[in-house]
Amino acid sequence: MQNIGAARDIGAIGVIGVIGLGNMGRGMALSLQRGGFTVVGTDASAATRDALAGEGIAVRDSIAEVIAACDMVVLSLPTAAIVAEVVAGADGIIGNAKPGMLVIDTSTSHPDTTRRLAAQLAAVGMQFMDAPVSGGPKGAITGTMTMVIGAADEDLARAEPVLAAMSAKRVHVGGVGAGHVAKIANNLFVASHLLVAGEVTRMAAKAGVPVEQLLQGINAGSGRSFVTEHSFPTWVMNGKFDSGFTMKLMRKDVRLSQELIGALDMDLPMSAKVAELWSRSAESIGDDEDFNRIVELGTRAPS
Ligand code: NAD
């Protein structure tokens, strides 16, 4: 579908709510503020709320207060279950419904949850769209993320100035839920590529070709990927492992892919193996470690 260009007319939308001010939500809130919006945010963690208040974001203690203050709301939450709780749980968005308000979910979530919540919101006169992101905390804070979007055309048009303040590239892949399908597919690729790159670089090193030389060759050839071109030089080879995306979140995304494959009643053995390896990685690589650490799978003792 279309690749949407960058427009920046904030029009009638003045106040944007952001629910979830973690690694990604914090940067999105600050990018929205820089883009000319007034931002009102909240987070389940008091320490996170206090940190953002110190950065000039109006922070509230409850979802009700955020909804009351804003014209449109952005979610950046860890899991589909938490998105459902924030939207439809006690004291959530539906309980404080504001007819006509658009909810933009940038979390990596399950398309079935997304479609169910969209229907529940529609019943109280509100709209929902999924706009999951890539680009990490750096992309969030610089407003240069990429979004794969599932939305009705009219909702996407309404959200455009808000999305433009947070992202450099937006691809409309279909109706509500389609963004989450595309994001799960994207992360299944990355999760697979990292596992393969970890094995292949060790194989080549043992055969006498160090990783630096190997990747020069690979990246000039047809085996290259984001992982070989970007992840290895930026986070792996220099030992930094500071992408801002955790093992816990990537393990969740790989689980989401298996849930989707299961719901579709498909047998995809390659994806199943990737999921098995990511699941087993919990024995040796902690939840809070950088997700690029998966390249070390098989080289680390169980912790
Ligand atoms: P994070 O854990 O740093 O932030 C999530 C925030 O949500 C936390 O501050 C947490 O306190 C808050 N939260 C949890 N439950 C809540 C609730 N009920 N109400 C309000 N706030 C609540 O995670 P993140 O890295 O910012 O990721 C957010 C989403 O973006 C995830 O779905 C993740 O998969 C996705 N994502 C992350 C990255 C990345 O590089 N970090 C990249 C792309 C997509």
Side-chain angles (χ1 to χ4, degrees), residues 25-73:
R26 168 181 174 268
M28 292 184 213
L30 293 171
S31 286
L32 286 164
Q33 191 178 51
R34 209 176 47 250
F37 295 101
T38 300
V39 181
V40 182
T42 194
D43 192 281
S45 151
T48 302
R49 290 198 301 272
D50 291 347
L52 261 284
E55 294 190 272
I57 301 290
V59 176
R60 301 284 180 264
D61 290 340
S62 69
I63 292 169
E65 290 169 280
V66 170
I67 298 301
C70 71
D71 304 311
M72 206 177 272
V73 65

Side-chain angles (χ1 to χ4, degrees), residues 22-24 43-44 76-78 82 85 108 133 136-137 244-245 249 252:
N23 284 326
M24 299 300 286
D43 192 281
S76 177
L77 295 163
I82 293 175
E85 178 194 317
T108 303
V133 296
F245 188 54
L249 285 176
K252 171 210 60 167

Side-chain angles (χ1 to χ4, degrees), residues 115-206:
R115 292 179 186 126
R116 175 169 53 82
L117 294 176
Q120 287 178 260
L121 281 160
V124 293
M126 295 175 71
Q127 292 78 43
F128 194 61
M129 62 182 279
D130 41 320
V133 296
S134 12
K138 191 174 165 203
I141 204 157
T142 53
T144 57
M145 299 186 297
T146 292
M147 293 176 157
V148 279
I149 297 170
D153 290 342
E154 59 274 21
D155 293 335
L156 177 57
R158 248 172 94 195
E160 175 60 17
V162 176
L163 305 180
M166 299 190 284
S167 60
K169 211 177 218 181
R170 297 171 292 287
V171 183
H172 188 194
V173 291
V176 171
H180 282 142
V181 172
K183 177 62 183 170
I184 288 170
N186 181 80
N187 281 21
L188 183 53
F189 269 127
V190 176
S192 311
H193 292 171
L194 275 168
L195 280 171
V196 174
E199 290 188 2
V200 167
T201 50
R202 288 203 295 283
M203 174 196 77
K206 196 162 183 185

Side-chain angles (χ1 to χ4, degrees), residues 246-294:
T246 60
M247 288 295 296
K248 183 178 183 177
L249 285 176
M250 188 51 123
R251 280 196 277 258
K252 171 210 60 167
D253 292 351
V254 175
R255 269 199 311 277
L256 276 175
S257 73
Q258 293 313 287
E259 287 168 21
L260 181 59
I261 291 164
L264 296 168
D265 199 19
M266 297 176 81
D267 176 23
L268 303 180
M270 178 74 191
S271 304
K273 188 68 190 175
V274 169
E276 180 201 320
L277 292 171
W278 273 89
S279 171
R280 205 197 299 159
S281 73
E283 292 164 12
S284 58
I285 310 174
D287 269 354
D288 294 332
E289 295 195 61
D290 191 273
F291 82 113
N292 291 290
R293 287 281 182 195
I294 196 71

